[in-house]
Structures are given as C-alpha cells and as structure tokens.
Amino acid sequence: MYIKDFEIRWNDIDANRHLANKAYIEFAAHTRMSFLVEQGFDQRLLAKFNVGPVVFYEHIYYFKEVFYGRPVRVSLEVSGLSEDGKFFEFRHNFYDYKGRNFAQCEMMGAWMNLETRKLIALPEEMHQFLNTIERPKDFKVLTKEDTRKFAKVPVDLM
C-alpha cells in the first residue's frame, strides 16, 4: 500500500472549520499522481504515448471530522483494472495523525488518447507496470459494464 503524508493548510478548511470536501479530492488526486510519478508514470511517459487519465467518478465516504493543525495520511490501492488496462479503479483511505481512518474515496477512470479524445487500451509499456502492482484481496478485473454500474446519463436542459 502506498501512503502520502499531508499537512492540512488554511485553504483546506471550510466554513465549519474542518477539512473541506475539495481537499479530500485534491489529496486523493495528489496521492495518485505522486504514486504514478514515483513509478515512472510521469509527464514524459504520458507525452510519449500522448495519453492522459480521465476520471469517471470519485465517491467519498466521511466517517469522522478532521481539523487544522495535525498531519494526515492518504493511502492508495489499485482496486481494479481491466485486462487491457483501459479502465482503472483506485481506493484511498484517509488517516489522522493517530492512524484512525476518517474517510475513504473510491474512484474510477480510464486512459484517453489526447489527440483523438477517445478512450484507449493502455500502451503495453505502461500496462506492464500496472500489472506488477500489489493488489488488495478484493481486487477486481474491470469490464466496460463496471463503468456503467451507477447508470447515470446526461440530461440536457430543454
């Protein structure tokens, strides 16, 4: 499991003086990108293949408030991956300075060709890396159907 440490900054606090919703998303995204960059998934590699990640959803479950003045830790696990590497799912747990779990985030996304703006299977060089990452016990091989499990569709204004 990968873990990233954060200091709660003044701008991470909301009107209720606890960690703001946006900060959870930002900490999770920064943890993902730190992990990927440390493994060689940096801007150079993304540019080489002209790909970028796209987020389908991020669901956050809040268990307990956390306040300014103490560090927090955010974990990352790859909880799902499609056979071709196109779709991915990450799980983050948020821990206070005593190691108590105060929130969890589940996110799903895919890889997109930045020229065609279409979803693509991950290039083999990148896919090999994701296949070597330690997987949690509840790891799932993702399919396109998994990306539609919430059955949300756009509804335009008339």
Side-chain angles (χ1 to χ4, degrees):
M1 178 186 332
Y2 180 81
I3 295 181
K4 182 85 176 159
D5 294 322
F6 291 93
E7 172 187 346
I8 298 177
R9 303 162 303 176
W10 178 253
N11 64 328
D12 295 325
I13 303 301
D14 67 12
N16 293 326
R17 291 178 287 212
H18 60 210
L19 193 60
N21 301 72
K22 71 164 186 77
Y24 288 86
I25 298 292
E26 291 169 355
F27 288 174
H30 188 79
T31 299
R32 284 192 301 277
M33 293 315 299
S34 293
F35 170 74
L36 292 171
V37 167
E38 287 178 23
Q39 303 303 318
F41 256 66
D42 56 13
Q43 289 294 334
R44 179 197 52 76
L45 185 65
L46 295 174
K48 175 181 175 181
F49 293 106
N50 202 29
V51 300
V54 59
V55 174
F56 293 158
Y57 64 77
E58 290 178 284
H59 296 159
I60 301 177
Y61 305 93
Y62 303 99
F63 308 133
K64 187 174 169 86
E65 290 181 294
V66 67
F67 300 96
Y68 179 81
R70 300 282 190 174
V72 297
R73 305 183 92 192
V74 181
S75 70
L76 172 141
E77 293 179 296
V78 179
S79 54
L81 187 66
S82 63
E83 288 184 4
D84 63 1
K86 179 188 291 186
F87 305 115
F88 54 84
E89 192 170 54
F90 290 107
R91 179 175 43 241
H92 299 281
N93 278 293
F94 296 77
Y95 301 96
D96 69 12
Y97 70 101
K98 290 184 177 180
R100 296 174 296 202
N101 185 208
F102 64 86
Q104 185 178 88
C105 174
E106 300 168 343
M107 73 79 61
M108 181 180 278
W111 296 100
M112 176 174 68
N113 178 297
L114 296 178
E115 184 176 326
T116 64
R117 312 307 282 188
K118 303 285 184 195
L119 299 182
I120 61 165
L122 201 56
E124 188 56 33
E125 182 179 327
M126 297 171 79
H127 190 223
Q128 286 176 358
F129 159 74
L130 286 179
N131 277 328
T132 65
I133 296 172
E134 183 180 339
R135 297 176 174 179
K137 291 178 183 176
D138 62 347
F139 177 86
K140 180 177 182 179
V141 175
L142 301 174
T143 65
K144 186 174 183 177
E145 290 72 36
D146 292 310
T147 70
R148 307 285 191 253
K149 67 183 173 185
F150 296 108
K152 299 293 182 187
V153 297
V155 178
D156 297 332
L157 292 174
M158 297 298 161

